Amino acid sequence: VEETRKSPFPAEVVRGGPEAGDQAAPLARQERHAIGVDLGGTQLRVALVDSGGRVLALERVRSDQLQSRDELIQRMRTLVEQVRSPQTEAIGVGIPGSINRHQGLVLGIPAFPGWSGVPLAGLLQDSAHLPVYLENDANVAALGEWWAGAGMGSANVAYVTISTGIGAGIICDGRLMRGFGGLAGEIGHTRITDNSPVCSCGQIGCFEAVASGRALERKVAEAVAQYPGSILATVATGDAPGPEHLTEAVRRGDSRAKDILEEEAVLLGIGFTNLQHSFSPERIVVGGGVSALLPLMRQTIEHAMKIRLLAGFSPAQLRVAELGDAAGVIGAAQLALEEVSEAGSSD
Ligand SMILES: [Zn+2]
């Protein structure tokens, strides 16, 4: 194991060659393993992943039902041991908040109290005796989709996750863009309108305030209250309205549902235009619950982009994320493999 850890890691393997994601390739060809940890607002996922981006073992628990920070850390340690293989080289952890990567510190997690200044990398390293690397959750999901999903094969990929909020991870010129303090990619809080409810950040007009899954839910709820006899009201009864209700209502010809979807598509087109003017991605990979609506919105999004993009730009290819919930653990594991290789080669 020590020898493998020291060997330089060929970049084309990390970046996902033609074999990456090919389920038929024999496992023996991907002998390097790492563990990816994805701490989400509702689920904690821990997976053993090989250098081809394949998930070999996966454990998950509800993170929102664990009582305390220490309980969450203890559960991470237990799950790491459960999925671990003899050739595991390192652990990567995706954190839904701010971190100091170099010190392995969690600076804060909006969804969980008590995480300010927690030396998580050191705590996991002490029990697992493996190098541990922290990264922002949107960044690890972007890395996952780039290495083994819808971003494979391009050196310029913007991954945008649209669920409760809107986050992004940017791959620019074949590298993850981190920016000063690791804070790059907060596209959800770029301003795209003067007219919106107050955003989760306290400001007005953010991309997230008008185009996130939560914003969609609010619009559906308002339409249902206003038109209780509509098809939309009929399909969106019961639990919280989701993309599937909107899809069903559009399919059955509900005009309010079509308007909501049309408005969402235009807003996404404006947000994506800002992304393209800033980073010029070749591909925009859309993840999160709202990505299920992408096929219905694609034409309008592309049109909204075309009429706004400067001369010389053409709309980036829009792709639905392919790895689903596994993007974070795969990206975190691949990040860990790359970091441990770089550390080994600089010895
Ligand atoms: Zn905001």
Side-chain angles (χ1 to χ4, degrees), residues 188-190 199-209:
H189 303 282
T190 55
C199 182
S200 63
C201 71
Q203 298 295 313
I204 294 286
C206 294
F207 189 22
E208 173 172 311

Side-chain angles (χ1 to χ4, degrees), residues 39-43 63-67 72 95-98 106 108-115 137 164 214:
L39 176 58
T42 53
Q43 271 199 342
S63 54
D64 54 353
Q65 289 175 349
L66 295 171
Q67 295 305 310
L72 209 45
I95 297 289
S98 53
V106 176
I109 300 179
F112 300 118
W115 279 84
D137 62 343
T164 310
R214 185 167 284 164

Side-chain angles (χ1 to χ4, degrees), residues 21 39 78 141 163 224 229 326 335:
L39 176 58
T78 316
S163 51
V224 166
L335 169 84

